[in-house]
Amino acid sequence: MSILAAVHDGNEVARWMEWDGTTAVVPEQGFAWIDVVDAEGDDIGKLQHTFGLHELAVEDSMSASQLAKVDLYDDHIFVAVKAAALSDSRIEYTDINIFLAERRIITVCRMETAFGHRLREQIDRIGAKKMVGPEFVAHQVLDLIVDDYFPIVQMFADEVLLMEKRLLDSSLGREEISRIFQLRRETIHFKRVLTRMSDVCNKLANLDLPCVSNGAKPYFRDVLDHLARIDAMSDGLIDVIRTAMEASSLLEEQRQSAITRQLAAWAAILAIPTAISGIFGMNFVSGPSSLTTWESLTIFGTMAAICGFLYWRFRRLGWLRPGKAN
């Protein structure tokens, strides 16, 4: 059964029960929470017929990818939000849709997820807090979603900082560089989601909506504060990723420059014996065989001295020690 309903009247403990969706479950006191997992739209169609849900809101709830938003209709509010979780080092989003009305709330998800199971477990917290309206359930949904945002940003930040530490010791590999770009894309998309979620919470906290009591607005403001903190963390994460990318580029340029200086230094050192031996071996008719032993030793000694001097000089300049150049 994909439709579950729970009634909270403030006296008895609310418990989930299977429901066929054809009769309205709205108690005289308290409120009803209906949770739906519907991939095809059949069950949400039953709820539309039973509670008179607006067709545009129903259509949005069945959308494969819906932006977070708040839509106001005659007798209910439609709220679309996004839950997030890490899956294979990527952020995977789940659309959660909420129909909020007087004394009832309907939560809709297109597929069965771990978040959906955790969401249904909130029924115990609702009973413990003696909540008096369905808008408090909407707060619980948003609060649970936003709480899951914190570890995502923290895990991304830890991964980037770890790459930064490795970057100082050795250059990053192709896979690590690709991962940095992937983290940047994921974080930018995540910030867009945060912006839309903040807009949702801001409307629920500050607008005069018929299904949101004044007593519930401070709870939505609290969620809005959490989103502001996460947004600031995301900004810092993007700065760290940008710094890591720039540092990787600068360090790679430095290493290439050091290698170029090394090659130039060795080329200069080897050019001396090449030039001298070329002169004495090719440009004289008598050739080097006519030179005396002392003359040959003088030539070889001169080559060795010049090469040694150049080696010492380049070594002192740091050209023969990569990464230590002055």
Side-chain angles (χ1 to χ4, degrees):
M1 194 71 183
S2 58
I3 305 180
L4 297 177
V7 176
H8 177 72
D9 57 9
N11 296 319
E12 297 182 0
V13 178
R15 290 287 182 266
W16 290 114
M17 60 181 180
E18 293 184 353
W19 182 54
D20 59 9
T22 57
T23 57
V25 282
V26 179
E28 295 182 0
Q29 294 182 347
F31 61 90
W33 178 9
I34 302 167
D35 185 68
V36 184
V37 178
D38 188 6
E40 303 298 332
D42 297 334
D43 292 330
I44 193 65
K46 295 179 183 178
L47 296 178
Q48 179 184 10
H49 178 75
T50 302
F51 294 109
L53 303 178
H54 199 281
E55 59 180 353
L56 292 178
V58 172
E59 181 181 346
D60 287 341
S61 69
M62 290 292 101
S63 174
S65 181
Q66 180 65 52
L67 296 175
K69 65 175 184 176
V70 176
D71 289 336
L72 180 62
Y73 297 100
D74 291 337
D75 61 344
H76 63 276
I77 298 173
F78 175 74
V79 182
V81 291
K82 282 188 176 293
L86 282 178
S87 176
D88 296 330
S89 300
R90 300 176 66 91
I91 303 179
E92 190 174 85
Y93 297 96
T94 301
D95 291 335
I96 306 295
N97 301 291
I98 302 171
F99 294 88
L100 181 61
E102 292 293 335
R103 292 191 291 130
R104 74 170 181 271
I105 180 171
I106 303 172
T107 53
V108 181
C109 184
R110 288 177 56 88
M111 63 189 67
E112 195 73 49
T113 62
F115 178 84
H117 291 290
R118 292 172 51 219
L119 181 61
R120 296 187 192 106
E121 293 174 357
Q122 299 299 306
I123 196 70
D124 296 330
R125 298 184 62 182
I126 292 172
K129 289 186 176 182
K130 304 295 183 184
M131 295 180 178
V132 295
E135 65 269 31
F136 290 94
V137 177
H139 161 261
Q140 288 292 116
V141 175
L142 291 172
D143 189 52
L144 186 63
I145 289 174
V146 173
D147 284 346
D148 287 344
Y149 288 168
F150 278 103
I152 293 175
V153 179
Q154 191 60 54
M155 290 181 69
F156 276 9
D158 292 342
E159 185 174 354
V160 174
L161 291 175
L162 185 61
M163 286 184 182
E164 267 193 331
K165 291 180 180 179
R166 290 202 300 270
L167 183 62
L168 298 176
D169 299 328
S170 61
S171 59
L172 297 178
R174 184 180 181 86
E175 292 184 358
E176 290 176 313
I177 293 175
S178 298
R179 177 59 178 162
I180 287 180
F181 279 99
Q182 180 188 353
L183 289 173
R184 183 173 178 270
R185 290 193 301 269
E186 294 281 347
T187 306
I188 291 175
H189 184 211
F190 183 65
K191 271 192 62 64
R192 292 172 183 165
V193 173
L194 289 178
T195 300
R196 302 287 301 193
M197 290 290 291
S198 297
D199 184 57
V200 168
C201 291
N202 185 54
K203 289 180 179 179
L204 293 174
N206 298 308
L207 295 183
D208 291 328
L209 300 176
C211 304
V212 179
S213 63
N214 290 331
K217 290 184 177 180
Y219 292 88
F220 291 112
R221 293 193 190 102
D222 180 68
V223 177
L224 188 60
D225 290 340
H226 291 175
L227 282 170
R229 288 174 52 197
I230 299 171
D231 188 64
M233 292 172 62
S234 299
D235 286 335
L237 178 57
I238 290 178
D239 290 338
V240 171
I241 292 174
R242 185 182 297 114
T243 302
M245 294 169 65
E246 292 175 353
S248 177
S249 178
L250 290 173
L251 289 174
E252 189 60 32
E253 289 179 5
Q254 184 184 33
R255 293 187 182 100
Q256 291 179 359
S257 178
I259 293 172
T260 302
R261 287 193 294 269
Q262 257 193 316
L263 295 174
W266 283 112
I269 293 171
L270 295 175
I272 299 302
T274 302
I276 295 176
S277 62
I279 292 173
F280 283 91
M282 298 176 63
N283 296 336
F284 291 92
V285 178
S286 57
S289 60
S290 62
L291 298 176
T292 64
T293 302
W294 288 110
E295 289 175 332
S296 299
L297 291 176
T298 300
I299 293 173
F300 289 129
T302 302
M303 287 192 295
I306 296 175
C307 291
F309 171 77
L310 290 176
Y311 179 83
W312 170 81
R313 184 58 179 167
F314 287 134
R315 183 81 175 178
R316 186 165 184 175
L317 290 174
W319 284 35
L320 297 177
R321 289 179 293 173
K324 300 294 185 181
N326 295 323

